[in-house]
């Protein structure tokens, strides 16, 4: 069996959804689970609804209405008959969130966020599922929140593996055996109490990988608007080239350091079961994309320099106030504080009494982190940086990437890896 994942760009409007149907039509009669994200930039729009609700700006209902109207308009272009059950599903989902907005927020930001933002995937899967059915592509819409049980870490739900696997095996296997396509939501999970959780932004790739793992899939495919995995972001390097085969190891390193093509958490569940990952273009579905698999383990030496950039970094310099050495005791304490605030250190270095780290600048968590660190350390922070990583570097690639840049922290291994944090800020969408 196969698992497919379609991201926001692949379902951004009615034409895009028709294109998804064209791709799926070729797989009718084969066992297939299809994991879908919210349409286009819906998640961002729903984040704005959440913020407006939490801050009680008075704009939340209006912003929600715009999201619902846009989904209705796309639905009308796909299914003209307004008596179709799709329209009552949309009305029900939208009025559920509207009712929540009409009350003052009582719960934590994370809880409220997940209950609102999950609307995106619930709507997108309803629309795609209904449209496929009208096209004669028999499928079943499944509520992933009943399958993937998570803890209640809202916005970063941790999947409870055993229960989820049992649910998936019992509820999904009979559907795909018929064979009928199973259509479900990426990015979402559910707690034991029946509340919705989300798995972290861009988490639909991970959802698909979890399904692939639990169902022992033969392969997983992520359908993208790029021809596969490239050695650099083509928006920054027009001469970027596609890599035909990549090992799990290379793929996880690239994505961890900021290659946006797939979510870094996607690799582990696939690697653990040796399931190949295909990254293919929904624009040119007849082309081979990139295959990430164990067969590529010996091909790493043939790779071109792979350049990944992570924007919006913050450099922290942490110095012990009492001049105690930055040795194991202080370091383990500092790392413990980072872990508790769920801040990932992307690049670190230490000296006699100082520790420097280049970290993701996630504003609401950073403030709490700084408050705690400042109790025992003097801390300086420097925002607006970028983290540049070159794997399989060459002197030319380094020269090209470092020209005219002011590097503030760097690391290099003998052949493989060079990474630095510098003062150039890339555009936000990177
Ligand atoms: N819709 C969610 C997001 O934009 C999940 C995903 O696209 O993977 O973050
Ligand atoms: Mg998305």
């Amino acid at each position: 069996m196969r698992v497919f994942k379609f991201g926001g760009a692949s379902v951004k409007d009615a034409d895009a959804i028709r294109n998804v149907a064209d791709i799926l039509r070729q797989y009718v009669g084969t066992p297939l689970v299809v994991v879908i994200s919210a349409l286009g930039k819906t998640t961002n729009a729903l984040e704005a609804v959440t913020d407006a609700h939490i801050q009680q700006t008075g704009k939340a209902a209006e912003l929600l209405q715009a999201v619902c109207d846009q989904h209705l308009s796309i639905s009308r272009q796909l299914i003209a008959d307004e008596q179709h059950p799709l329209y009552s599903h949309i009305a029900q989902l939208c009025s559920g969130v509207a009712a929540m907005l009409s009350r003052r927020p009582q719960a934590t930001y994370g809880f409220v966020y997940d209950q609102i933002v999950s609307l995106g995937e619930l709507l997108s899967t309803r629309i795609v599922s209904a449209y496929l059915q009208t096209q004669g592509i028999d499928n079943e819409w499944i509520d992933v929140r009943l399958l993937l049980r998570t803890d209640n870490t809202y916005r970063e739900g941790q999947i409870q593996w055993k229960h989820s696997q049992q649910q998936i095996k019992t509820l999904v296997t009979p559907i795909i055996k018929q064979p009928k396509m199973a259509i479900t939501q990426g990015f979402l999970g559910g707690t034991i109490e029946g509340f919705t959780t989300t798995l972290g932004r861009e988490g639909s790739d991970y959802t698909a990988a979890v399904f692939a793992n639990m169902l022992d899939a033969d392969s997983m495919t992520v359908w993208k608007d790029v021809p596969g995995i490239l050695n650099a972001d083509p928006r920054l390097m027009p001469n970027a080239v596609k890599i035909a085969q990549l090992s799990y190891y290379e793929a996880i390193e690239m994505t961890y350091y900021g290659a946006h093509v797939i979510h870094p958490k996607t690799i582990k569940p696939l690697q653990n079961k040796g399931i190949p990952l295909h990254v293919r273009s929904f624009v040119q579905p007849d082309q081979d994309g990139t295959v990430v698999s164990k067969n590529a383990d010996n091909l790493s030496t043939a790779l071109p320099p792979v350049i990944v950039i992570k924007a919006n970094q913050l450099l922290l310099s942490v110095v012990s106030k009492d001049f105690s050495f930055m040795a194991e005791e202080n370091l383990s304490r500092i790392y413990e504080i980072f872990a508790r605030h769920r801040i990932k250190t992307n690049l670190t270095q230490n000296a006699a009494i100082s520790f420097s780290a280049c970290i993701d600048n996630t504003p609401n968590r950073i403030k709490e982190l700084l408050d705690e660190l400042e109790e025992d350390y003097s801390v300086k922070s420097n925002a607006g940086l970028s983290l540049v990583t070159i794997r399989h570097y060459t002197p030319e690639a380094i020269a090209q990437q470092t020209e005219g840049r002011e590097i503030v922290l760097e690391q290099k291994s003998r052949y493989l890896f060079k990474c630095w944090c510098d003062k150039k800020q890339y555009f936000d969408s990177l």
Side-chain angles (χ1 to χ4, degrees):
M1 62 91 38
R2 295 183 178 94
V3 178
F4 282 179
K5 183 260 174 171
F6 288 96
S10 70
V11 288
K12 68 178 194 305
D13 54 29
D15 278 342
I17 294 173
R18 290 188 190 103
N19 180 53
V20 167
D22 288 340
I23 293 174
L24 290 177
R25 195 168 285 121
Q26 324 219 359
Y27 296 90
V28 169
T30 68
L32 180 63
V33 172
V34 183
V35 172
I36 303 174
S37 305
L39 308 187
K41 302 275 177 225
T42 304
T43 305
N44 294 350
L46 290 167
E47 285 186 341
V49 173
T50 308
D51 290 344
H53 177 54
I54 294 281
Q55 292 157 18
Q56 292 285 290
T57 62
K59 292 261 186 272
E62 197 180 306
L63 291 170
L64 172 70
Q65 193 58 49
V67 171
C68 292
D69 287 348
Q70 191 216 359
H71 284 77
L72 274 173
S73 138
I74 291 174
S75 299
R76 288 189 189 110
Q77 295 167 53
L78 294 167
I79 300 177
D81 172 15
E82 298 222 7
Q83 300 309 311
H84 191 285
L86 170 63
Y87 292 95
S88 52
H89 290 310
I90 295 178
Q92 215 169 30
L93 287 167
C94 286
S95 60
V97 177
M100 187 170 166
L101 299 183
S102 66
R103 299 183 293 268
R104 288 192 149 269
Q106 302 282 341
T108 61
Y109 179 84
F111 175 86
V112 174
Y113 176 103
D114 285 0
Q115 311 319 303
I116 295 176
V117 166
S118 52
L119 177 66
E121 272 70 15
L122 295 169
L123 288 172
S124 69
T125 48
R126 278 294 186 194
I127 295 172
V128 175
S129 164
Y131 177 66
L132 292 176
Q133 207 65 40
T134 65
Q135 294 300 297
I137 302 173
D138 198 14
N139 71 87
E140 193 151 323
W141 180 90
I142 306 177
D143 189 335
V144 80
R145 298 170 298 179
L146 307 176
L147 301 179
L148 288 185
R149 162 82 55 83
T150 71
D151 66 2
N152 57 4
T153 318
Y154 293 101
R155 303 191 65 182
E156 252 174 80
Q158 303 297 311
I159 292 176
Q160 294 173 348
W161 209 265
K162 229 173 142 190
H163 177 85
S164 304
Q165 179 151 30
Q166 206 175 358
Q167 288 294 93
I168 286 187
K169 283 209 157 132
T170 341
L171 297 170
V172 180
T173 312
I175 298 170
I176 55 176
K177 267 199 174 147
Q178 289 188 30
K180 200 176 186 185
M181 278 179 203
I183 307 286
T184 199
Q185 306 78 39
F187 181 52
L188 312 185
T191 66
I192 192 164
E193 300 86 6
F195 293 119
T196 305
T197 50
T198 62
L199 309 179
R201 284 301 307 263
E202 307 302 329
S204 298
D205 291 345
Y206 177 56
T207 304
V210 170
F211 270 82
N213 176 300
M214 291 180 176
L215 289 166
D216 291 302
D218 298 306
S219 67
M220 166 174 157
T221 303
V222 177
W223 296 90
K224 305 275 309 176
D225 54 1
V226 286
I229 299 181
L230 310 181
N231 74 323
D233 188 322
R235 291 170 299 179
L236 296 174
M237 289 195 45
N239 55 352
V241 291
K242 189 189 88 181
I243 302 170
Q245 293 202 57
L246 205 60
S247 65
Y248 294 116
Y249 181 77
E250 287 296 332
I252 204 165
E253 290 286 339
M254 270 176 83
T255 52
Y256 184 84
Y257 280 99
H260 274 251
V261 61
I262 36 174
H263 193 287
K265 280 171 80 179
T266 317
I267 305 298
K268 182 178 186 293
L270 300 175
Q271 186 277 343
N272 290 177
K273 291 252 175 111
I275 301 166
L277 169 67
H278 298 258
V279 179
R280 295 177 63 181
S281 160
F282 61 75
V283 189
Q284 293 174 301
D286 49 330
Q287 303 278 307
D288 293 331
T290 297
V291 191
V292 179
S293 73
K294 57 176 183 250
N295 300 339
D297 281 353
N298 301 323
L299 300 176
S300 295
T301 45
L303 287 174
V306 173
I307 300 156
V308 276
I309 293 169
K310 221 169 158 55
N312 199 18
Q313 298 290 297
L314 187 77
L315 178 73
L316 286 188
S317 308
V318 182
V319 178
S320 62
K321 282 185 187 164
D322 61 358
F323 265 51
S324 60
F325 291 131
M326 199 46 82
E328 286 66 19
E329 242 166 66
N330 268 320
L331 286 173
S332 60
R333 182 121 192 269
I334 291 173
Y335 275 113
E336 188 276 321
I337 297 174
F338 276 98
R340 205 155 15 80
H341 292 275
R342 301 206 308 282
I343 303 275
K344 195 167 78 140
T345 57
N346 296 321
L347 180 64
T348 62
Q349 232 164 64
N350 55 293
I353 60 160
S354 75
F355 170 81
S356 311
C358 200
I359 60 178
D360 292 343
N361 192 359
T362 28
N364 37 18
R365 288 194 204 144
I366 299 284
K367 186 176 173 318
E368 290 162 13
L369 172 90
L370 293 183
D371 288 348
E372 190 164 346
L373 283 172
E374 275 163 355
E375 288 170 19
D376 291 310
Y377 305 96
S378 28
V379 185
K380 277 203 214 111
S381 61
N382 203 335
L385 303 174
S386 298
L387 182 72
V388 182
T389 303
I390 310 185
R391 295 182 62 74
H392 309 282
Y393 62 81
T394 57
E396 300 77 53
I398 292 178
Q400 209 177 44
Q401 294 301 316
T402 47
E403 202 196 325
R405 308 179 63 134
E406 195 181 334
I407 296 178
V408 291
L409 189 67
E410 71 178 295
Q411 244 163 54
K412 187 173 173 185
S413 75
R414 205 155 154 209
Y415 302 115
L416 187 60
F417 173 85
K418 178 159 169 92
C419 190
W420 70 85
C421 200
D422 75 21
K423 285 199 173 166
K424 179 163 174 181
Q425 178 67 331
Y426 286 93
F427 40 98
D428 272 356
S429 61
L430 267 180

